[in-house]
Amino acid sequence: MKEKTDIILSVVIPFYNEEGSLEELYQRLLKVVDKDLMPYEFIFVDDGSTDKSNQVMCTLRESDSRIRLITFRRNQGKSAALSVGFQAARGKYVVTMDADLQDDPFEIPNLIGELNKGFDLVSGWKKKRNDPLTKTIPSKLFNKVTSVLSGIRIHDFNCGLKIYRNEVVKEIQMYGERHRFVPVLAYMQGFRVGELPVKHHPRLHGKTKFGSYRFIAGFLDLVTLLFRMKFLTKPMHLFGSLGLLSLLGGLMILVYLTIGWFHGQWIGNRPLLHIGVLGVVTGVQLFTLGLLSEMIVEKSSRTQLPLREDSDLML
Ligand code: UDP
Ligand code: MG
């Protein structure tokens, strides 16, 4: 049963070793929100910090009942932190932001305004990004590829600052490092995704938590996600067609060689023979992989259907 609550705005903030920024962030947030105009809660998620972040937050929580603090015993990654924050969020609007003061709380009213133009998720766009080039250039490439492959026309998928309608955060499944693709996840569930340019500040305290491996990880995650997006419920369409292609190619080569053999050619030393055999074997394997995947899908077909909130499901 849904918990009854008067909260309209939930701000979810995952943090990992950000002791230098948290207090200042809280003060900045207070300048933007107004409990009479829009009852709010701040959900801080401590992703297993090992510095003084947790003490800072515990002290702040004592003085403000609108602060909720969720603490992981050990570091689980930003996606896990966001995911638990999403579960906890009670507001109609859910805003996420980074804890390192790079995202600007003053953008929250603008995000709400944009969301109400008819979106379910509005993603911030760090149009003027204050990060080193080693970060911004690969990130541009990554965003371009994600946009082209997913068909979502936005510029910045991985901005920490985003706003969602509550039903979006309750429906998307976040784990691993999927926080980079939240707009894709939402889009896959049929939600309307928008974008708004937002201010972005340089990092003042502490250091970034993501090294350059993020781009390889990000690319692999993207491939997985796109595969899911297109073939989750019909894997045979992918494996079957690749398998058929390989099988037919292999068979054609073998038929060609067989004709030659009947005409007295020695084919045992021809590289083409290996290619033909490989084609047939790979084709059969891909085909079986497709069949197996279909069986797994059927057995576990609990894929969530993207139903709108106002659907009349009860008979
Ligand atoms: N973060 C987290 N868990 C992690 C890594 C990062 O909660 O394992 C938080 C971090 O404290 C910050 C946000 O995620 O609030 C974004 O991280 P960061 O600023 O390092 O990313 P960047 O801005 O460099 O992309
Ligand atoms: Mg940052």
Side-chain angles (χ1 to χ4, degrees), residues 173-211:
Q173 293 173 347
M174 284 266 277
Y175 57 82
E177 301 203 352
R178 285 177 151 208
H179 61 270
R180 295 201 182 90
F181 302 103
V182 186
V184 183
L185 295 173
Y187 180 80
M188 276 163 64
Q189 290 300 110
F191 291 115
R192 296 157 298 174
V193 177
E195 182 174 59
L196 185 74
V198 292
K199 269 199 228 83
H200 185 245
H201 303 288
R203 198 183 237 281
L204 295 179
H205 312 280
K207 52 180 193 293
T208 175
K209 309 296 179 306
F210 299 100

Side-chain angles (χ1 to χ4, degrees), residues 59 66 142 165 218:
T59 315
R66 292 175 187 276
F142 172 77
R165 291 188 193 282

Side-chain angles (χ1 to χ4, degrees), residues 14 16 18 47 75 78 98-100 102 135 203 208-209:
Y16 177 48
E18 306 285 3
D47 187 9
N75 182 246
K78 189 177 174 185
D98 290 353
D100 56 358
Q102 291 201 266
K135 223 176 201 172
R203 198 183 237 281
T208 175
K209 309 296 179 306

Side-chain angles (χ1 to χ4, degrees), residues 50-305:
T50 48
D51 64 355
K52 294 210 174 59
S53 300
N54 201 267
Q55 280 117 289
V56 174
M57 280 321 302
C58 285
T59 315
L60 287 175
R61 179 171 62 173
E62 271 165 33
S63 63
D64 185 345
S65 62
R66 292 175 187 276
I67 293 184
R68 297 168 69 195
L69 177 60
I70 302 171
T71 309
F72 286 158
R73 275 190 296 274
R74 50 166 294 182
N75 182 246
Q76 294 292 299
K78 189 177 174 185
S79 292
L82 280 174
S83 161
V84 72
F86 284 169
Q87 276 173 41
R90 295 174 292 182
K92 174 179 163 203
Y93 304 123
V94 181
V95 169
T96 58
M97 59 188 300
D98 290 353
D100 56 358
L101 301 173
Q102 291 201 266
D103 295 332
D104 198 324
F106 285 96
E107 298 286 358
I108 294 178
N110 305 338
L111 285 168
I112 296 177
E114 188 66 21
L115 190 79
N116 285 333
K117 285 185 186 162
F119 296 106
D120 300 307
L121 182 170
V122 174
S123 186
W125 170 16
K126 304 176 291 264
K127 205 167 177 179
K128 257 189 77 195
R129 188 169 172 183
N130 278 301
D131 271 325
L133 278 182
T134 46
K135 223 176 201 172
T136 49
I137 292 177
S139 165
K140 270 218 169 91
L141 182 76
F142 172 77
N143 280 312
K144 189 82 206 154
V145 173
T146 312
S147 168
V148 168
L149 293 182
S150 66
I152 307 170
R153 297 281 166 254
I154 64 174
H155 301 81
D156 190 356
F157 284 81
N158 189 18
C159 181
L161 190 56
K162 288 187 172 65
I163 186 167
Y164 312 73
R165 291 188 193 282
N166 196 300
E167 57 264 28
V168 181
V169 302
K170 295 294 188 274
E171 202 160 312
I172 52 182
Q173 293 173 347
M174 284 266 277
Y175 57 82
E177 301 203 352
R178 285 177 151 208
H179 61 270
R180 295 201 182 90
F181 302 103
V182 186
V184 183
L185 295 173
Y187 180 80
M188 276 163 64
Q189 290 300 110
F191 291 115
R192 296 157 298 174
V193 177
E195 182 174 59
L196 185 74
V198 292
K199 269 199 228 83
H200 185 245
H201 303 288
R203 198 183 237 281
L204 295 179
H205 312 280
K207 52 180 193 293
T208 175
K209 309 296 179 306
F210 299 100
S212 44
Y213 177 67
R214 71 160 82 192
F215 297 108
I216 300 173
F219 178 71
L220 294 177
D221 285 345
L222 178 65
V223 173
T224 315
L225 208 63
L226 291 173
F227 170 73
R228 281 195 36 142
M229 189 167 162
K230 298 226 157 54
F231 302 108
L232 177 64
T233 51
K234 42 182 181 354
M236 188 58 170
H237 286 205
L238 177 71
F239 294 120
S241 32
L242 286 179
L244 269 183
L245 216 67
S246 174
L247 189 67
L248 282 179
L251 278 178
M252 266 154 54
I253 292 175
L254 292 184
V255 167
Y256 165 75
L257 287 177
T258 312
I259 295 171
W261 186 76
F262 275 117
H263 285 83
Q265 283 174 18
W266 171 239
I267 58 170
N269 59 349
R270 298 192 60 178
L272 213 50
L273 181 65
H274 296 277
I275 298 175
V277 173
L278 200 68
V280 173
V281 174
T282 316
V284 172
Q285 274 192 342
L286 281 169
F287 216 81
T288 357
L289 197 63
L291 284 176
L292 267 176
S293 314
E294 287 287 341
M295 284 185 220
I296 296 172
V297 169
E298 190 175 333
K299 277 274 171 228
S300 59
S301 58
R302 42 161 218 92
T303 322
Q304 226 178 4
L305 293 171

Side-chain angles (χ1 to χ4, degrees), residues 25-39:
L25 174 68
Y26 170 64
Q27 296 302 340
R28 284 192 197 175
L29 275 165
L30 283 185
K31 289 197 185 124
V32 185
V33 290
D34 180 338
K35 67 177 187 324
D36 300 320
L37 223 62
M38 192 175 276

